[in-house]
Amino acid sequence: MRPEIKEYNYDWMLGSLLKTASGIGNCSEKEIHYLLKEIPYFRGTLSVLLREGEIGFRFIRMLSLYFENLLNARDSGKKVAAITFCLSPALFHAMNIVPVTLEVMTGLAGLLWKRGAYDYLDYGCELGFTETSCSSQRGALGAYMAGLGEEINMFVCDTPGVCDTNANAFAFASAYLDKPFFQLNYPHTIGDDKTKQYHLDDYRDLITFLEEQTGYPLEEGKLRQILMEVDKQDDLLAELEDFHLLKPNPIPVIYNLFIYIGRFLFSGCPEYTALLADMLTAVESNAKTEKSGLYSGKENIRAYMCYIDHYTLDLNFFNWLDQHGIAHIGGILSRNFRDNAGYTANLEKSTYGIDTSNMTTMLSSIAEMNATLPMVRSIRGPLDGPNMWLEESLSLARTYKADCIIYNGTPGCRNTWGMVKPFAREIEAAGFPVHIMYGDAFDDRVETWESTKTRLDEFLSIRGLL
Ligand code: SF4
């Protein structure tokens, strides 16, 4: 790793940038104009967030608070756990543990820094990660393994059989840093009684592990409070997601990012509830006047992201969608598969509910909630199994009237690369044009944004979509 990179703490750099940005809400237009001139690399990303007005600031303040919590964790006597976006942070909030969601931490480096997370990604390889390990964990882990972030006290993941590169990243880092490790296990079906019991028992073991690490028991009242907040968030999300049905779609493209980053960091916390409530108000107002959420004004087509988005400086991918009049109707990351969400009507037995009656029902709720998270739910077994990736993608694309489906991942996504061609063939046969992106959502060096954009433009043109 370059010596100059070793001079700075990763969490502090991201946190201080966001803290400064969160103060811009108090600036005059003239001050913002001059400020943007002084921050050439961060200008593009910040401008997209500023365009959202108070909601953009709320999102920035939420991120800033996340780093404040992380940077103050040790002083406030809290433990820090490295977790994954396939694992709900709600339980960690209930146990006063600061969750570090590695994929978000890497994604933020890509969105906020011109150099992205490149040095940290490469450092992971220097230590033994393969170049095809998932970049979404490797970036932030590179910083933590180099001692450039806050101390991670434990590693917790839950991707057995779902993504080997994800699970291996956690196992590797915990061994390298000599920190405790817990991996939730999960069978290849969801929704049946045997499976539910299995996962509930596994969750109890996780709680025992977390109690040992923190020295404090899980409080029933605190868990209930967090789950009731998740319940409120799910209601808001269900209402918000329904607006994707409208043509034009009144939901701004960038809201999809706000939805899932918020959930990966602050599920069960009031900051995320407030963000969702504001977003819903803004979308309702657009819908009343039949206004598209696109800043380019006119909705030309609608795209369903069957996997993840692309996280590069200036929010290039989100801007590309907006500039082409493409409504982003969500993807695998933005959906939570709560039983009250309209789009789950055709996806029987693969949703979760929340029951706060007692400890057992709460643990069952949180375990099932976890089972519906990205990858755990959709990419846990055969491509065409019930409630799996193909069925889910087709159902969502039909529900929201997609004109095309776009796949993007990382070179590490072996579970999807192994089936993406037959997947695309089946989706095409069902009448949806599919584009497979070959870049890396978190590492622009694999395929530059310019090349990615050229291929996306070519797809729209060749398939007669625009
Ligand atoms: S499935 Fe892909 S994006 Fe998800 S954790 Fe695995 S390698 Fe990363």
Side-chain angles (χ1 to χ4, degrees), residues 85-100:
F85 60 166
C86 323
L87 179 62
S88 169
L91 178 65
F92 296 83
H93 289 302
M95 296 187 77
N96 274 328
I97 299 169
V98 177
V100 171

Side-chain angles (χ1 to χ4, degrees), residues 85 103 134 136-137 163 165-166 307-308 375 410 412-413 415:
F85 60 166
E103 297 83 357
C134 180
S136 68
Q137 292 98 37
C163 175
T165 62
N166 181 322
Y307 210 45
I308 61 179
M375 293 160 219
T410 81
C413 300
N415 299 284

